[in-house]
Amino acid sequence: MALIELQGIERTFQLGDASVHALTALDLRIEAGEYVAVMGPSGSGKSTLLNLLGLLDRPNAGTYRLEGRDITTLSPDEQARVRSQRIGFVFQSFHLVPRLTAAENIALPMTLAGIPQKERNARVARALVNFGLDKRADHRPDQLSGGQRQRVAIARATIMQPALILADEPTGNLDRHTGEEVVNLLEALNASGVTLVVVTHDQGMGARARRQLVMEDGRLKHDSATPHNAPR
Amino acid sequence: MRLADTLRFARDAAAGYPMRTTLSVIAMSIGVAAVVILTALGDGARRYVVGQFSSIGTNLVIVLPGRSGTGGFNPANAITTTPRDLTIDDAGALRRAPAVRRAAPLAVGTSEISFGGRLREVMVAGSTAEFLPIRNFELAQGQGLPEEDWNRGSAVAVIGNTIRTEMFGNTPAIGQLIRVGDRRLRVVGVLKSVGQGLGMNTDELVIVPVALAQAMFNSNTLFRVLVEAKSRSAIPEAKEQVMEILKQRHRGEEDITVITQDAVLATFDKLLGALTLGVAGIAAISLAVAGILVMNVMLVAVTQRTGEIGLLKALGAPARTIRLAFLAEAAMLSTVGALVGYLLGQAGAFGLRQTFPVFPAYPPDWAVIAALSTALITGLLFGVMPARRAARLDPVQALMKH
């Protein structure tokens, strides 16, 4: 059973009178534990794909199975539960809550899921040590460097022990050196068994993934797993 | 999300945007304070007037000579002679009515008072010993008019406090002989200062026996007869008996008018109640304005934080959790705003009472409750409506606004 199974996914946006096909006839299988980079020019639909995978957006047509379960038919609250339990997000602009400390930001998914304070504290303490943030626990995001902020965001994405981590340009706002650190962190997570899907412009970063998907005009132009029969 | 976490989250959210939080608390508290102060003013005015009316006496029935027509044109009235005057004997007869506790005749006129070369014009009230208890007057010094035959009129006077100060200064007034008109009277009592009453300033009054006053003004008629009923419930009965007795004494003609203090009070109470309601209406408008202010502030808040809502959704928060978090925040803002407004309003009313001690500016309970509950409800409603909308957004749409 594949972790992710997309069949005939269509996503169109209405821009005034024109309808834009962000994703067209998309079929995709991603096995558990894979490390996938999604690349392509701006507007090729890679962010839309990531949003669909993360249940932040709904397709207009097609089915999406996550761990064998059709989730396009779930209610918004059931989808929220899937996001809470199975999916972690890492965003380009970090998306930390500015008024919360690093520790509170990391704990936020557990707070929202209603996990008791005691367990939260224990898990946050472990995460802070794992991500080298134990000296920064009480700092708010504006007191952290870009790399530290992204580490907080990754800690937050993993705190619920998800099966899937979706990263949208995770190094886009970072310099080369800190970007490298962040990629290493994500790859370490992948090595521990978490499926990792990264959207990136960076050819170098894309090349590090074990599988590359190249998008163009809402279609999958190239898939390194099946190079010869990719749909064109 | 757990309740404690929801509350903490809402508190941090409110504290995280001090400008917005301050604005909505100010808007809310101004609305509530306006209601409290305005209704305190309105209700204070009502209480003040009712209090003034009550101070003219308790269970009072007032008899006026002449019929103030309420029955329309009556040919009999047109033919008969002018109304018969009220006399001292009429007043005396009223004392025998079973529902009447006391009755006092009242003749009024102006005259001059002089003592030791000082001279001024005064209002002279001719009455009897029972006048003071009926009107709830108290004596500061000496005693009231003597209990005597109403037609006798000994040469004594009870004077108001202002008269005492102006005529005698610091020297004792009791026992002194004053000249009122062409009479020499002995001062037997001084009234306690009560300040301005309705129509008549008792501090500038000289009270003499009724027979003396009639002689001074060369008349044998009365201005009023004041009757005190035995109890509040006996007032209608007393009124009836007074009418009956005087009708008999005036050969079957109803040529007097009887007013009960209750009726006057009730009318004023109604009028001033309407005034308070009108003031409450103004207050309600200010509260509505405050509510709209709060709504705008919350709307901006939710718009500002759409990105955060998107993030919360991405992190797995169901719509309910988001609604609850905003509800808790709106509840906190409006509770604090309502409390601050309540305290401000009470402080304002207190300030009013300090500035005008005679004016009982207390906000009525209903107004306070209405103000607080309206504030809370509008705050919650206007806080939650935009949050509900935000909670329904697709997470990706909300996130893009971050």
Side-chain angles (χ1 to χ4, degrees):
Chain A
M1 181 183 72
L3 178 76
I4 292 169
E5 237 180 315
L6 299 181
Q7 271 178 350
I9 292 288
E10 302 273 344
R11 182 71 177 104
T12 48
F13 294 108
Q14 208 66 36
L15 286 179
D17 291 339
S19 53
V20 178
H21 291 268
L23 293 176
T24 313
L26 191 75
D27 298 324
L28 182 64
R29 274 173 74 94
I30 296 176
E31 302 295 329
E34 271 196 82
Y35 176 11
V36 182
V38 183
M39 294 185 288
S42 299
S44 60
K46 50 188 197 306
S47 286
T48 308
L49 173 62
L50 201 77
N51 289 335
L52 276 175
L53 292 179
L55 302 180
L56 298 179
D57 202 358
R58 289 161 176 268
N60 297 89
T63 55
Y64 172 13
R65 290 175 185 279
L66 184 71
E67 299 178 311
R69 184 175 175 208
D70 183 0
I71 47 181
T72 38
T73 57
L74 295 183
S75 75
D77 281 355
E78 287 168 327
Q79 292 194 343
R81 198 171 314 122
V82 172
R83 282 197 298 273
S84 166
Q85 308 291 338
R86 308 307 296 158
I87 303 173
F89 292 94
V90 177
F91 303 96
Q92 176 177 3
S93 50
F94 320 132
H95 280 343
L96 300 178
V97 181
R99 61 174 182 278
L100 299 182
T101 66
E104 286 168 334
N105 265 297
I106 295 172
L108 192 53
M110 294 193 287
T111 312
L112 293 170
I115 290 171
Q117 176 100 46
K118 220 173 146 186
E119 192 185 339
R120 289 204 310 251
N121 290 346
R123 273 158 77 169
V124 168
R126 225 175 305 141
L128 284 168
V129 174
N130 289 347
F131 290 90
L133 292 163
D134 41 334
K135 301 259 190 315
R136 304 276 172 217
D138 295 327
H139 291 217
R140 279 200 297 276
D142 55 2
Q143 300 163 318
L144 297 173
S145 71
Q148 286 166 341
R149 286 185 216 180
Q150 197 59 302
R151 291 213 299 268
V152 171
I154 294 172
R156 182 181 64 189
T158 55
I159 200 78
M160 292 293 286
Q161 292 156 353
L164 174 62
I165 287 186
L166 300 172
D168 192 356
E169 305 272 9
T171 60
N173 281 358
L174 302 175
D175 60 52
R176 268 188 64 81
H177 178 66
T178 28
E180 179 76 20
E181 269 179 31
V182 164
V183 174
N184 288 340
L185 259 178
L186 291 171
E187 287 176 354
L189 288 170
N190 175 244
S192 71
V194 181
T195 310
L196 178 63
V197 178
V198 182
V199 164
T200 182
H201 269 111
D202 182 349
Q203 292 294 333
M205 189 186 167
R208 290 171 67 157
R210 280 195 294 280
R211 179 179 174 191
Q212 286 86 27
L213 303 177
V214 181
M215 305 276 302
E216 200 177 271
D217 292 338
R219 291 170 195 277
L220 204 52
K221 188 183 159 208
H222 171 80
D223 183 348
S224 65
T226 52
H228 301 297
N229 55 6
R232 53 172 317 286
Chain B
M1 191 147 71
R2 288 162 177 257
L3 181 65
D5 289 328
T6 306
L7 293 180
R8 190 175 320 120
F9 188 84
R11 185 201 64 199
D12 292 348
Y17 298 86
M19 179 74 171
R20 178 175 70 76
T21 304
T22 315
L23 276 180
S24 36
V25 167
I26 286 176
M28 188 58 86
S29 51
I30 286 176
V32 174
V35 177
V36 172
I37 292 180
L38 287 175
T39 51
L41 270 176
D43 209 51
R46 190 182 63 79
R47 280 177 214 228
Y48 175 73
V49 174
V50 170
Q52 284 292 326
F53 258 97
S54 308
S55 74
I56 65 173
T58 327
N59 306 329
L60 210 55
V61 176
I62 302 165
V63 184
L64 288 68
R67 174 146 182 80
S68 70
T70 49
F73 178 73
N74 182 348
N77 286 355
I79 300 164
T80 49
T81 50
T82 48
R84 208 175 298 265
D85 292 321
L86 280 172
T87 63
I88 294 180
D89 291 339
D90 285 339
L94 294 182
R95 286 203 289 187
R96 293 193 289 274
V100 170
R101 174 176 293 157
R102 290 189 265 254
L106 180 61
V108 198
T110 53
S111 183
E112 275 175 352
I113 179 172
S114 65
F115 174 78
R118 273 169 287 222
L119 183 88
R120 66 161 284 173
E121 193 162 318
V122 288
M123 179 168 260
V124 177
S127 192
T128 62
E130 295 189 324
F131 181 63
L132 294 191
I134 288 179
R135 285 294 315 269
N136 290 344
F137 287 161
E138 285 177 56
L139 286 162
Q141 304 162 19
Q143 52 201 8
L145 296 177
E147 300 272 359
E148 61 181 353
D149 181 358
W150 287 8
N151 285 308
R152 192 166 157 268
S154 38
V156 294
V158 175
I159 61 174
N161 198 43
T162 308
I163 304 284
R164 183 195 65 79
T165 336
E166 285 179 10
M167 290 292 138
F168 302 100
N170 291 327
T171 60
I174 303 292
Q176 299 285 359
L177 278 175
I178 50 170
R179 176 173 289 281
V180 177
D182 53 356
R183 309 283 172 138
R184 290 173 70 79
L185 307 177
R186 190 170 297 283
V187 177
V188 293
V190 178
L191 291 176
K192 221 178 232 176
S193 173
V194 289
Q196 184 72 44
L198 280 174
M200 180 192 285
N201 189 343
T202 52
D203 289 349
E204 299 186 4
L205 194 64
V206 171
I207 305 170
V208 300
V210 62
L212 193 71
Q214 287 187 332
M216 269 162 64
F217 302 129
N218 194 21
S219 124
N220 57 358
T221 68
L222 293 179
F223 173 63
R224 298 280 187 269
V225 180
L226 303 180
V227 175
E228 185 184 326
K230 285 216 162 105
S231 67
R232 197 181 169 87
S233 54
I235 291 176
E237 213 178 318
K239 181 178 174 180
E240 208 121 294
Q241 289 165 1
V242 164
M243 299 276 269
E244 190 52 39
I245 289 170
L246 291 181
K247 194 173 166 183
Q248 276 172 16
R249 292 181 58 86
H250 293 186
R251 299 189 186 162
E253 266 186 66
E254 274 193 21
D255 54 3
I256 53 151
T257 305
V258 180
I259 320 171
T260 64
Q261 185 191 12
D262 257 29
V264 179
L265 259 182
T267 310
F268 265 85
D269 206 33
K270 236 191 243 168
L271 281 175
L272 290 159
L275 175 79
T276 309
L277 274 181
V279 168
I282 298 169
I285 291 170
S286 60
L287 204 58
V289 171
I292 289 167
L293 263 171
V294 170
M295 178 180 71
N296 282 318
V297 173
M298 289 305 290
L299 204 62
V300 171
V302 173
T303 314
Q304 252 182 5
R305 285 165 62 196
T306 307
E308 185 183 318
I309 291 172
L311 172 71
L312 294 180
K313 299 194 91 169
L315 296 181
R320 194 182 112 86
T321 299
I322 289 164
R323 280 201 305 271
L324 272 180
F326 275 82
L327 181 79
E329 189 182 338
M332 283 177 190
L333 290 186
S334 34
T335 308
V336 172
L339 279 180
V340 170
Y342 174 71
L343 293 179
L344 275 180
Q346 288 289 10
F350 179 76
L352 273 176
R353 295 199 295 272
Q354 291 294 305
T355 323
F356 310 101
V358 293
F359 196 77
Y362 292 93
D365 289 345
W366 60 262
V368 170
I369 292 168
L372 289 179
S373 47
T374 314
L376 289 178
I377 291 169
T378 48
L380 286 183
L381 208 66
F382 293 152
V384 166
M385 277 192 320
R388 283 178 67 90
R389 216 191 49 196
R392 275 201 301 269
L393 280 177
D394 264 345
V396 65
Q397 282 171 283
L399 257 180
M400 277 187 321
K401 294 187 178 152
H402 201 78

